[in-house]
Structure formats: structure tokens, C-alpha cells
Amino acid sequence: MFFVSTVNAAPANDLFLDDNLYKCIIDAYNVNLAEKKDYNYSLLPEELNTITSLDCFNYKGKIQDLTGLDKLNNLTSVNLSGNLFLGGSLNITGTSGNLRSNIILPSKLSLTDKTYSIENKGIVKIENNVVYPLSNGSTYITMTAKVGGNEITEKYLVSVSNPAFNKSNNSKLASLYLSE
């Protein structure tokens, strides 16, 4: 006897990895053209190009991957507020590093008004969008930005492993022994 506990289906349109993002796109297409396409329908490139505005408010907290969003070539307005996206992780072994965003937008949209918050401010600092190590360890950095006036959030894991932080600044200290 066999039991199925989970069924993983591919998205209806393989340009989009996130089913909820695709559902939002289908909703926008249906509203714009007064159509009633089913979520299983695979929109063609020329149909994707008819979408100029995307409001995913009803999918708040449900969209995790924006792969394919850049295929909406005529998109000029998008609302993805309430969704947290994961950026690339950053491992700093030298003097600085740059965060790598996984948010790829259509050419008519861009990220503006970027602000950053650091979970553990003793590990890194950010100046002019460059991450500088302060001590060894790991922390999260959250970037909040605007896309066409709507807020978008991306979170990055940053690790610092810099041998320079393991050395003493005391030139007279040759070794140190600690005992109970």
C-alpha cells in the first residue's frame, strides 16, 4: 500500500520558480485584460508583455523567489511589500565585501532609497554600500528599498573569517597562557 504525503508540481510557467509570484502575475493579466486565465495556464511572452502593473498585496508573506520577474518587460509598477527575499551570502576574508542581491527587476524598474540594518553591529559595518569587517563571526544584514514607491526587503547572511582579527595589537606580547 502506498501513501502520498507531498506532491511537488512544477510551476505552470517554467520562467517562474515561485507559484505564488506566478499566481499574482496571472491575477494581474486577468484584471488588465478582463480575462479569466486559470493558474495552470502558461502565459506566453507576448501576454507577459501586456502587464504594466503588478500588485501582490494578496500574496503578502507568500512569495519567496522573484525568478522570472524580469521577463515582464513592460512592468512599470510592482508591489511586493510584506515578502522577505534572501540575498546571496557573503563571506569576508579580507578588508571588505559587497552584498549580492537576488532581486532581478525588469529594466524599467530599479531599487531606490536603500537602507540597511545589521543584526550584530560588532561583526560588520556598512559605508557607501560596502561591507567592512569589525570582528570574526556571523550576522544578518537586512536591506530595505523602494521599487516604484513600494517597499521590498532582502536579507543577507554575512560571515567574517579574517585571520588579522586573531592577532594581538600588543607588539610586546609573544604568548599568552590562561589557566583556572
Side-chain angles (χ1 to χ4, degrees):
M1 186 176 279
F2 294 98
F3 293 97
V4 176
S5 61
T6 304
V7 176
N8 295 318
N13 188 315
D14 59 7
L15 295 175
F16 304 93
L17 300 181
D18 191 297
D19 284 334
N20 288 310
L21 174 62
Y22 189 66
K23 286 178 182 179
C24 180
I25 290 168
I26 287 283
D27 291 346
Y29 179 81
N30 286 338
V31 167
N32 288 346
L33 297 175
E35 297 256 348
K36 190 62 181 149
K37 299 287 186 191
D38 186 78
Y39 292 135
N40 293 324
Y41 178 76
S42 182
L43 290 171
L44 301 171
E46 55 271 16
E47 292 171 314
L48 292 173
N49 287 335
T50 66
I51 300 170
T52 58
S53 179
L54 189 63
D55 186 352
C56 297
F57 178 79
N58 292 335
Y59 296 93
K60 184 177 182 179
K62 297 178 182 175
I63 298 173
Q64 298 176 346
D65 192 322
L66 295 177
T67 300
L69 186 66
D70 60 320
K71 303 303 182 197
L72 281 75
N73 295 321
N74 292 317
L75 193 65
T76 57
S77 172
V78 63
N79 180 2
L80 295 162
S81 300
N83 293 290
L84 176 65
F85 303 101
L86 297 178
S89 56
L90 174 63
N91 185 19
I92 302 174
T93 57
T95 58
S96 66
N98 294 303
L99 297 173
R100 183 179 50 85
S101 178
N102 285 332
I103 299 173
I104 300 172
L105 298 169
S107 61
K108 295 179 181 179
L109 293 171
S110 63
L111 296 174
T112 61
D113 303 326
K114 291 182 190 177
T115 59
Y116 297 94
S117 62
I118 303 169
E119 202 169 277
N120 184 340
K121 295 181 181 183
I123 304 292
V124 296
K125 67 178 181 177
I126 298 180
E127 292 177 356
N128 299 319
N129 296 323
V130 178
V131 182
Y132 296 96
L134 300 175
S135 65
N136 287 329
S138 295
T139 189
Y140 285 100
I141 295 176
T142 302
M143 182 268 304
T144 303
K146 299 281 186 184
V147 178
N150 296 299
E151 191 172 279
I152 193 165
T153 306
E154 188 170 40
K155 193 169 190 174
Y156 309 88
L157 173 62
V158 179
S159 301
V160 176
S161 178
N162 189 327
F165 293 126
N166 297 331
K167 297 179 182 176
S168 170
N169 290 333
N170 185 339
S171 61
K172 299 187 191 286
L173 181 64
S175 65
L176 177 65
Y177 175 76
L178 300 173
S179 167
E180 286 186 23

